[in-house]
Amino acid sequence: ELKVEQNPLFLSMQEGKNYTIYCNYSTTSDRLYWYRQDPGKSLESLFVLLSNGAVKQEGRLMASLDTKARLSTLHITAAVHDLSATYFCKGAQKLVFGQGTRLTINP
Amino acid sequence: SAVISQKPSRDICQRGTSLTIQCQVDSQVTMMFWYRQQPGQSLTLIATANQGSEATYESGFVIDKFPISRPNLTFSTLTVSNMSPEDSSIYLCSVVREGGYGYTFGSGTRLTVV
């Protein structure tokens, strides 16, 4: 059974700093998804990583996938307050979500 | 990506009653899914809605409690039956187009059972 684990689960950081959210999964998955959820809202698709070594960037967010290590990362560069949200990764098998990382960016 | 209309957006229901949630997509999609998100938690897949056949339920979810219909390639309903306060959650539908990789989510239905 696929398990997807994110860390950290809670992250409070200052504007302008860099940080990384990690997503480990337990069985082979050839693709990995990242989503953003604002409070009281639905999920917004951020990235679809389709193969080993895939790297995608959008603004201050960059996601990567290492299928051999069963690890995906979501890197935040020079954080701004607008990036405060909960971020989820999801595996392709059984569409299992990670626990989510609640990110708070303080001015 | 597909555009999804999910209704109702929220409801407050009495225990023992049932609520049907609708998910309408603006284009034909192969796969439709229903998720539950309990307060402060992640999303859990309830079932995959299959057009023309019974839904495929995940472990811990049963058809009697969460009957699902999918009469065509653009529409699905999820019913939460015989509700109890433990069913208070956000329910979301999600779709992916055939040959596509990106999943789109509906706006969600916030259900409170009193």
Side-chain angles (χ1 to χ4, degrees), chain A residues 33 35 37 42 95 97-98, chain B residues 33 35 37 42 92 101 103 106:
Chain A
Y33 304 83
Y35 298 90
Q37 186 177 39
S42 186
L95 307 178
F97 277 82
Chain B
F33 309 92
Y35 286 87
Q37 186 176 28
S42 184
L92 300 105
Y101 298 106
Y103 290 77

Side-chain angles (χ1 to χ4, degrees), chain A residues 19-37:
Chain A
Y19 211 83
T20 300
I21 300 170
Y22 297 89
C23 176
N24 291 87
Y25 51 95
S26 61
T27 62
T28 302
S29 181
D30 60 352
R31 67 185 77 133
L32 196 288
Y33 304 83
W34 284 96
Y35 298 90
R36 167 180 173 150
Q37 186 177 39

Side-chain angles (χ1 to χ4, degrees), chain B residues 43-101:
Chain B
L43 284 79
T44 301
L45 181 64
I46 297 171
T48 302
N50 303 308
Q51 195 266 332
S53 64
E54 275 194 5
T56 305
Y57 289 85
E58 298 301 312
S59 176
F61 298 96
V62 296
I63 188 171
D64 289 346
K65 176 67 176 177
F66 298 101
I68 287 171
S69 78
R70 186 158 180 209
N72 56 53
L73 292 175
T74 64
F75 186 77
S76 178
T77 66
L78 168 75
T79 298
V80 186
S81 303
N82 188 25
M83 288 184 285
S84 67
E86 292 71 34
D87 294 319
S88 298
S89 291
I90 298 172
Y91 293 85
L92 300 105
C93 65
S94 177
V95 303
V96 63
R97 283 202 176 102
E98 184 173 3
Y101 298 106

